[in-house]
Amino acid sequence: MANNINDLTADFPVLDQQVNGERLAYLDNAATAQKPKQVVDTLVHFYEHDNANVHRGVHTLAERATAEYEEARKKVQHFINAADNKEIIFTKGCTDGLNLVASTYGEQNIHEGDEIVISIMEHHSNLIPWQQLAIKKHAVLKYIELTPEGTLDMDDAKKKITDKTKIVAVAHASNVLGVVNPIKELAKLAHEHGAVFVGDGAQSVPHMPVDVQDLDVDFYAFSGHKMMGPTGIGVLYGKADLLRQMPPYQYGGEMISSVHRDRTEFADIPFKFEAGTQSIAGAIALGTAVDYLEKVGMENVVAKEQELVDYVLPKLEALPYVTVYGPQDPKKHTGVIAFNMDNLHPHDVATALDAEGVAVRAGHHCAQPLMEALGVSATSRASFYFYNTKEDADQLIKAIKATKEFFNGGTI
Ligand SMILES: Cc1ncc(COP(=O)(O)O)c(C=O)c1O
């Protein structure tokens, strides 16, 4: 592994290329992160040497694949400090994990008149499953609103979470506003009212140390691909006693203890929730991504991203034609920076930035109710990861200035 956090191009060959004749500045990490060679090598090695299905074979390859798959589960367990590796369920991704909880725990525990509390900044993955559950069960879905600064309004949270609340589901970090939400406090609040707390860790696990026991979350979902693992693999953490009480999510192979003509006994967790053949290579390569992050050190990931935000945010805010959403203070802002340029559509901005080699995202970022609350239909979004550099930040600012000049016919 390259040992200089400011130059990791040896591990990320994808970053070392030209796009539209310019050096690539990849700033779409909130959508998906790039994969280090180590993760790609793990996939290649698995398929070239160990490929077999897990848990069901006694031959050598099956035993090797099973051992690697279960080792990956332990790596994830330690990474988020879960009490037991049985609490780590491999899923397709964060969306899949959140749907699992809504379809099983939610289906079992939400009744007419119950309340589910989420926040207005949720990604659709942590919004629609609860909205649809509420519709189906004639329950009430409530939203915690924002402060004028663009952070979660905790006074509103205290009003919205009541004894009628059965589930509170909130993102640990926003994919638009660049804020980290106080989910430990929210989980405590939920528990005081007898509700469970579901954390969406899609934008937090890749970027900061996460300790599910310290946070005391009941469920916590995240995606492998945003933390440099492959697509198609994710994790749902759940407290063992809750998981054991929940019905299965899907039925099929692997999730049973015994099947009879008229009944089935299900396997213990986590297998009860892993029906069918999982992304075996994906899980093992996710384990390699965890190894990589642990070698870098999550404290160093936090420090490097903070350094980049400290550097780029004031430069962006200083441009009079740019509006940045979320807190303006870099110390309160993660590497996710949503912005708009006056009188320019975000899609035009993203296309113009791409012409300068800068990859950003434009759109509603799967957060349409948040866009409505912000009074916009879309934004551009630059999102940094620890392998980004100040050169990437400079290229972004330069490209934004060039875009302004281009659309203004030469005047900034
Ligand atoms: C906050 C948040 N939650 C959930 C998701 C969904 O992740 P996935 O599409 O990998 O399931 C995303 C993806 O952008 C996200 O940013």
Side-chain angles (χ1 to χ4, degrees):
M1 185 184 136
N3 52 16
N4 178 1
I5 197 166
N6 294 313
D7 184 9
L8 293 166
T9 34
D11 288 347
F12 294 88
V14 69
L15 296 174
D16 189 17
Q17 62 173 298
Q18 296 225 325
V19 167
N20 297 319
E22 302 289 340
R23 151 185 197 282
L24 169 67
Y26 182 79
L27 298 177
D28 195 17
N29 294 288
T32 198
Q34 297 301 347
K35 322 302 172 199
K37 253 162 47 65
Q38 290 82 344
V39 167
V40 178
D41 288 348
T42 297
L43 290 170
V44 172
H45 186 275
F46 178 77
Y47 284 121
E48 284 186 350
H49 297 277
D50 303 334
N51 179 47
N53 213 329
V54 294
H55 299 138
R56 34 185 104 151
V58 291
H59 61 79
T60 302
L61 263 56
E63 283 182 354
R64 247 192 253 152
T66 302
E68 290 172 41
Y69 182 74
E70 289 307 321
E71 183 58 29
R73 196 189 305 278
K74 285 187 192 145
K75 287 179 185 177
V76 172
Q77 177 206 346
H78 293 129
F79 191 58
I80 61 168
N81 195 32
D84 192 328
N85 63 34
K86 289 185 164 54
E87 298 179 318
I88 304 297
I89 298 161
F90 284 125
T91 63
K92 284 190 293 177
C94 187
T95 304
D96 193 33
L98 294 166
N99 274 279
L100 188 162
V101 181
S103 306
T104 56
Y105 184 89
E107 183 67 36
Q108 201 174 40
N109 291 285
I110 293 294
H111 305 290
E112 188 169 345
D114 286 345
E115 296 184 355
I116 302 169
V117 177
I118 64 172
S119 90
I120 196 66
M121 70 172 84
E122 296 314 308
H123 187 283
H124 294 164
S125 295
N126 197 31
L127 188 159
I128 307 172
W130 309 117
Q131 179 195 63
Q132 295 303 307
L133 178 68
I135 292 169
K136 186 173 168 195
K137 297 285 189 162
H138 305 287
V140 179
L141 181 66
K142 285 180 166 178
Y143 290 86
I144 306 168
E145 302 292 338
L146 302 180
T147 63
E149 193 192 14
T151 57
L152 196 73
D153 185 341
M154 286 304 285
D155 290 334
D156 194 40
K158 284 171 196 149
K159 282 187 212 134
K160 298 274 164 70
I161 300 171
T162 69
D163 287 347
K164 285 189 170 177
T165 309
K166 294 291 179 291
I167 296 173
V168 179
V170 175
H172 196 172
S174 164
N175 66 318
V176 177
L177 295 169
V179 290
V180 178
N181 292 320
I183 64 164
K184 185 172 176 175
E185 213 180 311
L186 285 167
K188 186 163 177 277
L189 208 53
H191 295 154
E192 281 165 6
H193 290 282
V196 294
F197 182 84
V198 184
D200 172 350
Q203 299 293 345
S204 45
V205 175
H207 300 283
M208 63 192 77
V210 168
D211 180 333
V212 289
Q213 292 187 76
D214 177 57
L215 293 168
D216 199 19
V217 289
D218 299 291
F219 300 100
Y220 194 88
F222 52 100
S223 292
H225 70 96
K226 292 183 199 285
M227 52 190 288
M228 307 183 302
T231 50
I233 186 75
V235 173
L236 173 70
Y237 159 80
K239 285 182 181 164
D241 54 339
L242 289 172
L243 290 174
R244 287 207 169 94
Q245 286 166 38
M246 285 153 50
Y249 179 37
Q250 293 182 321
Y251 301 99
E254 284 297 293
M255 50 80 68
I256 56 95
S257 144
S258 68
V259 183
H260 312 275
R261 281 184 180 230
D262 55 354
R263 76 196 145 80
T264 295
E265 273 99 46
F266 303 117
D268 190 16
I269 59 170
F271 308 115
K272 182 170 86 171
F273 294 106
E274 292 181 3
T277 301
Q278 304 296 296
S279 175
I280 300 165
I284 296 167
L286 174 60
T288 305
V290 166
D291 290 341
Y292 193 97
L293 283 168
E294 281 184 337
K295 270 193 200 128
V296 173
M298 292 312 288
E299 300 301 338
N300 294 326
V301 169
V302 172
K304 174 71 188 295
E305 290 182 24
Q306 190 62 60
E307 189 187 326
L308 290 169
V309 176
D310 286 347
Y311 182 75
V312 75
L313 196 59
K315 289 191 196 324
L316 209 49
E317 285 164 356
L319 301 174
Y321 47 85
V322 168
T323 304
V324 174
Y325 300 95
Q328 307 292 297
D329 178 355
K331 296 284 176 246
K332 294 186 187 167
H333 211 113
T334 68
V336 172
I337 305 176
F339 64 95
N340 271 322
M341 293 178 68
D342 285 354
N343 305 320
L344 291 183
H345 194 279
H347 281 122
D348 293 335
V349 172
T351 306
L353 296 186
D354 182 55
E356 305 287 330
V358 180
V360 300
R361 176 139 302 220
H364 52 62
H365 313 296
C366 300
Q368 283 188 326
L370 173 61
M371 294 292 120
E372 223 172 86
L374 295 174
V376 296
S377 61
T379 78
S380 300
R381 181 187 69 188
S383 51
F384 290 79
Y385 207 5
F386 66 95
Y387 47 62
N388 286 121
T389 59
K390 286 190 178 162
E391 209 179 344
D392 294 330
D394 287 337
Q395 199 172 331
L396 170 69
I397 300 295
K398 188 164 163 255
I400 288 175
K401 287 181 179 168
T403 300
K404 175 69 178 164
E405 201 171 82
F406 175 79
F407 282 104
N408 260 24
T411 49
I412 297 188

